Amino acid sequence: MTEYEELLENYHENKPEDIDKSERLEIPEPRINIQGGKTYIKNFKKITKTLRREPKHLLKFISKELATAGNLEGSQASLKGKFKKRQVKKKLSQYVKEYVICDECGKADTKLTKFKGEQYKRCEACGARSPAKQI
Ligand SMILES: [Zn+2]
């Protein structure tokens, strides 16, 4: 076996583990900054990128849940009023449960789709489709 083949074999052996790792969704810790009566989520874009969701969609959810107004400002988001990191984190995990994680298999490989005017979360891993409330 050449060195290259050996490398290739090792690569394949290690692969399943790598896949498992990428399937576990880790929500980035929100970086909160309160300034001038507004709460900024500094790494908002990074969070939505990890969740593979539209920043607008997540912001709409959070601001509705916290009953305030939200704005996208570059890579960050701002919420009117002062909110604790704990509150933001709680809303983030609610969002993930509702709009990202598959109800059937628990994976994060889902997409939001519309079907006959209803919004669904469709799983690319197991094919399940579950209703996701419109915000
Ligand atoms: Zn699934």
Side-chain angles (χ1 to χ4, degrees):
M1 198 186 277
T2 66
E3 208 177 332
Y4 176 69
E5 280 170 336
E6 215 160 10
L7 267 173
L8 211 61
E9 188 148 289
N10 281 334
Y11 173 72
H12 285 299
E13 267 172 21
N14 291 330
K15 223 179 168 190
E17 207 180 321
D18 290 345
I19 289 172
D20 282 347
K21 231 179 260 172
S22 70
E23 277 171 358
R24 254 200 322 262
L25 182 72
E26 278 184 41
I27 313 168
E29 191 83 0
R31 281 172 46 219
I32 303 294
N33 189 15
I34 296 171
Q35 211 171 38
K38 279 186 185 178
T39 304
Y40 291 89
I41 307 168
K42 309 283 284 176
N43 56 342
F44 193 76
K45 276 269 169 74
K46 193 186 163 195
I47 294 171
T48 56
K49 215 177 156 189
T50 307
L51 305 180
R52 298 194 299 144
R53 286 297 174 270
E54 286 294 320
K56 262 195 233 164
H57 189 252
L58 175 61
L59 184 66
K60 206 171 160 189
F61 176 83
I62 293 183
S63 43
K64 199 185 170 196
E65 285 286 321
L66 296 173
T68 189
N71 249 314
L72 286 174
E73 299 180 26
S75 62
Q76 54 182 7
S78 70
L79 299 165
K80 208 174 161 194
K82 293 174 186 175
F83 298 97
K84 292 196 171 75
K85 184 172 158 181
R86 184 165 44 84
Q87 291 173 285
V88 176
K89 271 182 84 167
K90 200 177 154 200
K91 294 305 164 197
L92 270 179
S93 23
Q94 257 184 313
Y95 179 88
V96 167
K97 194 165 171 267
E98 182 108 7
Y99 296 99
V100 184
I101 300 291
C102 171
D103 294 351
E104 292 295 323
C105 71
K107 286 180 181 160
D109 304 322
T110 60
K111 266 190 179 155
L112 290 178
T113 55
K114 283 211 176 128
F115 182 69
K116 292 185 177 171
E118 299 290 319
Q119 186 169 250
Y120 290 92
K121 180 169 64 176
R122 196 176 61 80
C123 180
E124 292 174 327
C126 76
R129 197 174 63 185
S130 32
K133 294 198 279 270
Q134 306 248 25
I135 303 170

Coordinates of all heavy atoms in Angstrom, one line a residue, residues 18-74:
D18 N -16.5 12.5 11.5 CA -16.6 13.9 11.1 C -18.1 14.3 10.8 O -18.5 15.3 11.2 CB -15.8 14.1 9.9 CG -14.3 14.0 10.2 OD1 -14.0 14.1 11.4 OD2 -13.5 13.9 9.2
I19 N -18.8 13.4 10.2 CA -20.2 13.7 9.8 C -21.0 13.8 11.1 O -21.7 14.8 11.2 CB -20.8 12.6 8.9 CG1 -20.1 12.7 7.5 CG2 -22.3 12.7 8.8 CD1 -20.4 11.6 6.6
D20 N -20.8 12.9 12.1 CA -21.5 13.0 13.3 C -21.3 14.4 14.0 O -22.2 15.0 14.5 CB -21.1 11.9 14.3 CG -21.7 10.6 14.0 OD1 -22.7 10.6 13.1 OD2 -21.3 9.6 14.5
K21 N -20.1 14.8 13.9 CA -19.7 16.1 14.5 C -20.5 17.2 13.9 O -21.0 18.1 14.6 CB -18.2 16.3 14.4 CG -17.5 16.6 15.7 CD -16.0 16.8 15.5 CE -15.3 15.6 15.9 NZ -13.9 15.6 15.6
S22 N -20.6 17.2 12.6 CA -21.2 18.4 11.9 C -22.7 18.4 12.1 O -23.4 19.4 11.9 CB -20.9 18.4 10.4 OG -21.5 17.3 9.8
E23 N -23.2 17.2 12.4 CA -24.7 17.1 12.6 C -25.2 17.6 13.9 O -26.3 18.0 14.1 CB -25.2 15.7 12.4 CG -25.4 15.3 10.9 CD -25.6 13.9 10.7 OE1 -25.6 13.1 11.7 OE2 -25.8 13.5 9.6
R24 N -24.3 17.6 14.9 CA -24.7 18.2 16.2 C -24.6 19.7 16.1 O -23.6 20.3 15.8 CB -23.7 17.7 17.2 CG -24.3 16.7 18.2 CD -23.5 16.6 19.4 NE -22.1 16.8 19.3 CZ -21.2 15.7 19.2 NH1 -21.6 14.5 19.3 NH2 -19.9 16.0 19.1
L25 N -25.8 20.3 16.2 CA -25.9 21.7 16.1 C -25.5 22.5 17.3 O -26.0 22.2 18.4 CB -27.3 22.1 15.7 CG -27.6 23.6 15.4 CD1 -26.9 24.0 14.1 CD2 -29.0 23.9 15.4
E26 N -24.5 23.3 17.2 CA -24.1 24.1 18.3 C -24.4 25.6 18.1 O -23.9 26.2 17.1 CB -22.6 24.0 18.6 CG -22.4 22.7 19.4 CD -20.9 22.6 19.8 OE1 -20.3 23.6 20.2 OE2 -20.4 21.4 19.7
I27 N -25.4 26.1 18.8 CA -25.8 27.5 18.6 C -24.7 28.4 19.2 O -24.3 28.2 20.4 CB -27.1 27.8 19.4 CG1 -28.1 26.7 19.1 CG2 -27.6 29.1 19.0 CD1 -29.3 26.7 20.0
P28 N -24.1 29.3 18.4 CA -23.1 30.2 19.0 C -23.7 31.0 20.2 O -24.9 31.4 20.1 CB -22.8 31.1 17.8 CG -23.2 30.4 16.6 CD -24.4 29.6 17.0
E29 N -22.9 31.2 21.2 CA -23.3 32.0 22.3 C -23.6 33.4 21.9 O -22.7 34.0 21.2 CB -22.1 32.0 23.3 CG -22.4 32.5 24.7 CD -23.1 31.5 25.6 OE1 -23.3 30.3 25.1 OE2 -23.3 31.8 26.7
P30 N -24.8 34.0 22.1 CA -25.0 35.3 21.7 C -24.2 36.3 22.4 O -24.0 36.2 23.6 CB -26.5 35.6 22.0 CG -26.9 34.6 23.0 CD -26.0 33.4 22.8
R31 N -23.6 37.3 21.7 CA -22.8 38.3 22.3 C -23.6 39.6 22.4 O -24.0 40.2 21.5 CB -21.5 38.6 21.5 CG -20.4 37.5 21.7 CD -19.3 37.7 20.8 NE -18.8 39.1 20.7 CZ -18.4 39.6 19.5 NH1 -18.4 38.9 18.4 NH2 -18.1 40.9 19.5
I32 N -24.0 39.9 23.7 CA -24.9 40.9 23.9 C -24.2 42.2 24.4 O -23.3 42.2 25.2 CB -25.9 40.5 25.1 CG1 -26.6 39.2 24.7 CG2 -26.9 41.6 25.4 CD1 -27.6 39.3 23.5
N33 N -24.7 43.3 23.9 CA -24.2 44.6 24.3 C -25.4 45.6 24.4 O -26.1 45.8 23.4 CB -23.2 45.1 23.2 CG -22.4 46.3 23.7 OD1 -22.4 46.7 24.8 ND2 -21.8 47.0 22.7
I34 N -25.5 46.2 25.6 CA -26.6 47.1 25.8 C -26.1 48.6 25.7 O -25.1 48.9 26.3 CB -27.3 46.9 27.1 CG1 -28.0 45.5 27.1 CG2 -28.4 48.0 27.4 CD1 -28.6 45.1 28.4
Q35 N -26.7 49.3 24.8 CA -26.2 50.7 24.5 C -27.3 51.6 24.1 O -28.1 51.2 23.2 CB -25.1 50.6 23.4 CG -24.1 51.6 23.5 CD -23.0 51.4 22.5 OE1 -23.2 51.0 21.4 NE2 -21.7 51.6 22.9
G36 N -27.4 52.7 24.8 CA -28.4 53.7 24.4 C -29.9 53.1 24.4 O -30.6 53.4 23.5
G37 N -30.2 52.3 25.4 CA -31.6 51.8 25.4 C -31.9 50.7 24.4 O -33.0 50.3 24.3
K38 N -30.8 50.2 23.7 CA -31.0 49.1 22.8 C -30.1 47.9 23.2 O -29.1 48.1 23.8 CB -30.5 49.6 21.4 CG -31.6 50.4 20.6 CD -31.0 50.6 19.3 CE -31.8 51.5 18.4 NZ -31.1 51.7 17.1
T39 N -30.6 46.8 22.8 CA -29.8 45.6 23.1 C -29.3 45.1 21.7 O -30.0 44.8 20.8 CB -30.7 44.5 23.7 OG1 -31.2 45.0 24.9 CG2 -29.8 43.2 24.0
Y40 N -28.0 45.0 21.6 CA -27.3 44.6 20.4 C -26.9 43.1 20.5 O -26.3 42.7 21.5 CB -26.1 45.4 20.1 CG -26.4 46.8 19.7 CD1 -26.5 47.8 20.6 CD2 -26.7 47.1 18.3 CE1 -26.9 49.1 20.3 CE2 -27.0 48.4 17.9 CZ -27.1 49.4 18.9 OH -27.4 50.7 18.5
I41 N -27.2 42.3 19.5 CA -26.7 41.0 19.4 C -25.6 41.1 18.4 O -25.8 41.1 17.2 CB -27.8 39.9 19.0 CG1 -29.0 40.1 19.9 CG2 -27.2 38.5 19.0 CD1 -30.3 39.3 19.5
K42 N -24.4 41.1 18.9 CA -23.2 41.4 18.0 C -22.9 40.4 17.0 O -22.5 40.7 15.9 CB -22.0 41.6 18.9 CG -22.1 42.6 20.1 CD -22.1 44.0 19.7 CE -20.6 44.4 19.4 NZ -20.6 45.8 18.9
N43 N -23.1 39.1 17.3 CA -22.8 38.1 16.4 C -24.1 37.4 15.7 O -24.1 36.2 15.5 CB -22.0 37.0 17.1 CG -22.7 36.4 18.3 OD1 -23.6 37.0 18.8 ND2 -22.2 35.3 18.7
F44 N -25.0 38.3 15.5 CA -26.3 37.8 14.9 C -26.2 37.1 13.6 O -26.7 36.0 13.4 CB -27.3 39.0 14.8 CG -28.7 38.6 14.6 CD1 -29.4 38.1 15.6 CD2 -29.3 38.6 13.3 CE1 -30.8 37.7 15.5 CE2 -30.6 38.2 13.1 CZ -31.3 37.8 14.2
K45 N -25.4 37.6 12.7 CA -25.3 37.0 11.4 C -24.6 35.6 11.5 O -24.9 34.7 10.8 CB -24.4 37.9 10.4 CG -25.2 39.0 9.7 CD -25.8 38.5 8.4 CE -26.8 39.4 7.8 NZ -26.2 40.7 7.3
K46 N -23.7 35.6 12.4 CA -22.9 34.3 12.6 C -23.9 33.2 13.1 O -23.9 32.1 12.7 CB -21.8 34.5 13.6 CG -20.8 33.4 13.6 CD -19.8 33.6 14.7 CE -19.1 32.2 15.0 NZ -18.4 32.2 16.2
I47 N -24.8 33.7 14.0 CA -25.8 32.7 14.5 C -26.7 32.2 13.4 O -26.9 31.0 13.3 CB -26.6 33.4 15.7 CG1 -25.7 33.7 16.8 CG2 -27.7 32.5 16.1 CD1 -26.3 34.6 17.9
T48 N -27.2 33.1 12.6 CA -28.1 32.7 11.5 C -27.4 31.9 10.5 O -28.0 31.0 9.9 CB -28.8 33.9 10.8 OG1 -27.8 34.8 10.3 CG2 -29.7 34.7 11.8
K49 N -26.1 32.1 10.3 CA -25.3 31.3 9.3 C -25.2 29.9 9.9 O -25.4 28.9 9.1 CB -24.0 31.9 9.2 CG -23.4 31.8 7.8 CD -22.1 32.5 7.6 CE -21.3 31.9 6.4 NZ -20.0 32.3 6.4
T50 N -25.0 29.7 11.1 CA -24.9 28.4 11.8 C -26.2 27.7 11.7 O -26.3 26.5 11.4 CB -24.5 28.5 13.2 OG1 -23.3 29.3 13.3 CG2 -24.2 27.2 13.9
L51 N -27.3 28.4 11.9 CA -28.6 27.8 11.8 C -29.1 27.7 10.4 O -30.2 27.0 10.2 CB -29.6 28.7 12.6 CG -29.3 29.0 14.1 CD1 -30.4 29.8 14.7 CD2 -29.1 27.7 14.9
R52 N -28.5 28.3 9.5 CA -28.9 28.3 8.0 C -30.3 28.8 7.9 O -31.2 28.3 7.3 CB -28.8 26.9 7.4 CG -27.3 26.4 7.5 CD -27.1 25.2 6.6 NE -28.0 24.1 7.0 CZ -28.6 23.2 6.1 NH1 -28.4 23.3 4.9 NH2 -29.3 22.2 6.6
R53 N -30.5 30.0 8.5 CA -31.8 30.6 8.4 C -31.6 32.1 8.0 O -30.5 32.7 8.3 CB -32.5 30.6 9.7 CG -33.1 29.2 10.1 CD -34.2 28.8 9.1 NE -34.7 27.4 9.3 CZ -34.1 26.4 8.7 NH1 -33.1 26.5 7.9 NH2 -34.6 25.2 9.0
E54 N -32.6 32.7 7.5 CA -32.6 34.1 7.1 C -32.5 35.0 8.4 O -33.3 34.8 9.3 CB -33.8 34.5 6.3 CG -33.9 34.0 4.9 CD -32.9 34.6 4.0 OE1 -32.6 35.8 4.2 OE2 -32.3 33.9 3.2
P55 N -31.5 35.9 8.4 CA -31.5 36.8 9.6 C -32.8 37.5 9.9 O -33.2 37.6 11.0 CB -30.4 37.9 9.1 CG -29.6 37.2 8.1 CD -30.5 36.2 7.4
K56 N -33.5 37.9 8.8 CA -34.8 38.6 9.0 C -35.8 37.7 9.7 O -36.6 38.1 10.5 CB -35.4 38.9 7.6 CG -35.1 40.3 7.1 CD -36.1 40.6 5.9 CE -35.2 41.2 4.8 NZ -36.0 41.1 3.5
H57 N -35.8 36.4 9.4 CA -36.7 35.5 9.9 C -36.5 35.3 11.4 O -37.4 35.4 12.2 CB -36.6 34.1 9.2 CG -37.7 33.1 9.6 ND1 -37.4 32.0 10.3 CD2 -39.0 33.1 9.3 CE1 -38.6 31.3 10.5 NE2 -39.5 32.0 9.9
L58 N -35.2 35.1 11.8 CA -34.9 34.9 13.2 C -35.2 36.2 14.0 O -35.7 36.2 15.1 CB -33.4 34.5 13.4 CG -32.9 34.4 14.8 CD1 -33.6 33.4 15.6 CD2 -31.4 34.1 14.8
L59 N -34.9 37.3 13.4 CA -35.1 38.6 14.1 C -36.6 38.8 14.3 O -37.0 39.3 15.4 CB -34.5 39.8 13.3 CG -34.6 41.1 13.9 CD1 -33.8 41.2 15.2 CD2 -34.2 42.2 13.0
K60 N -37.4 38.5 13.3 CA -38.8 38.6 13.4 C -39.3 37.8 14.6 O -40.2 38.3 15.4 CB -39.5 38.2 12.1 CG -40.8 38.8 11.8 CD -41.2 38.4 10.4 CE -42.7 38.6 10.2 NZ -43.2 38.0 9.0
F61 N -38.8 36.6 14.7 CA -39.2 35.7 15.8 C -38.8 36.3 17.1 O -39.7 36.4 18.0 CB -38.6 34.3 15.6 CG -38.8 33.4 16.7 CD1 -40.0 32.6 16.7 CD2 -37.9 33.2 17.8 CE1 -40.3 31.7 17.8 CE2 -38.2 32.3 18.8 CZ -39.4 31.6 18.8
I62 N -37.6 36.7 17.3 CA -37.1 37.2 18.6 C -37.8 38.4 19.0 O -38.3 38.6 20.1 CB -35.5 37.4 18.5 CG1 -34.8 36.0 18.4 CG2 -35.1 38.1 19.8 CD1 -33.3 36.1 18.5
S63 N -38.0 39.4 18.0 CA -38.6 40.6 18.4 C -40.1 40.4 18.8 O -40.6 41.1 19.7 CB -38.4 41.7 17.4 OG -38.6 41.2 16.1
K64 N -40.7 39.5 18.1 CA -42.1 39.2 18.4 C -42.2 38.6 19.8 O -43.1 39.0 20.6 CB -42.7 38.3 17.3 CG -44.2 38.4 17.4 CD -44.9 37.4 16.4 CE -46.4 37.4 16.7 NZ -47.0 36.2 16.1
E65 N -41.4 37.6 20.0 CA -41.4 36.9 21.3 C -41.1 37.9 22.5 O -41.6 37.7 23.6 CB -40.3 35.8 21.3 CG -40.8 34.6 20.5 CD -41.8 33.7 21.2 OE1 -41.7 33.6 22.4 OE2 -42.7 33.3 20.5
L66 N -40.2 38.8 22.3 CA -39.8 39.8 23.3 C -40.7 41.0 23.3 O -40.4 42.0 24.0 CB -38.3 40.1 23.2 CG -37.3 39.0 23.5 CD1 -35.9 39.4 23.2 CD2 -37.4 38.4 24.9
A67 N -41.7 41.0 22.4 CA -42.6 42.1 22.2 C -41.9 43.5 22.1 O -42.2 44.4 22.8 CB -43.6 42.2 23.4
T68 N -41.0 43.5 21.1 CA -40.3 44.8 20.9 C -40.0 44.9 19.4 O -40.4 44.1 18.6 CB -38.9 44.8 21.7 OG1 -38.4 46.1 21.6 CG2 -37.9 43.8 21.2
A69 N -39.3 46.0 19.0 CA -38.9 46.2 17.6 C -37.4 45.8 17.4 O -36.6 46.0 18.3 CB -39.1 47.6 17.2
G70 N -37.2 45.2 16.3 CA -35.8 44.7 16.0 C -35.3 45.3 14.7 O -36.1 45.6 13.8
N71 N -34.0 45.4 14.6 CA -33.4 46.0 13.4 C -32.1 45.2 13.0 O -31.4 44.8 13.9 CB -33.0 47.4 13.6 CG -33.8 48.4 12.8 OD1 -34.0 48.2 11.6 ND2 -34.3 49.4 13.5
L72 N -31.9 45.0 11.7 CA -30.6 44.4 11.3 C -29.7 45.5 11.0 O -30.0 46.5 10.3 CB -30.8 43.6 10.1 CG -31.5 42.2 10.2 CD1 -31.7 41.6 8.9 CD2 -30.7 41.3 11.1
E73 N -28.5 45.5 11.6 CA -27.5 46.5 11.4 C -26.2 45.8 11.1 O -25.4 45.5 12.0 CB -27.4 47.4 12.7 CG -28.7 48.1 13.0 CD -28.6 49.0 14.3 OE1 -27.5 49.4 14.6 OE2 -29.6 49.2 14.9
G74 N -26.0 45.6 9.8 CA -24.7 44.9 9.3 C -24.8 43.5 9.8 O -25.7 42.8 9.6

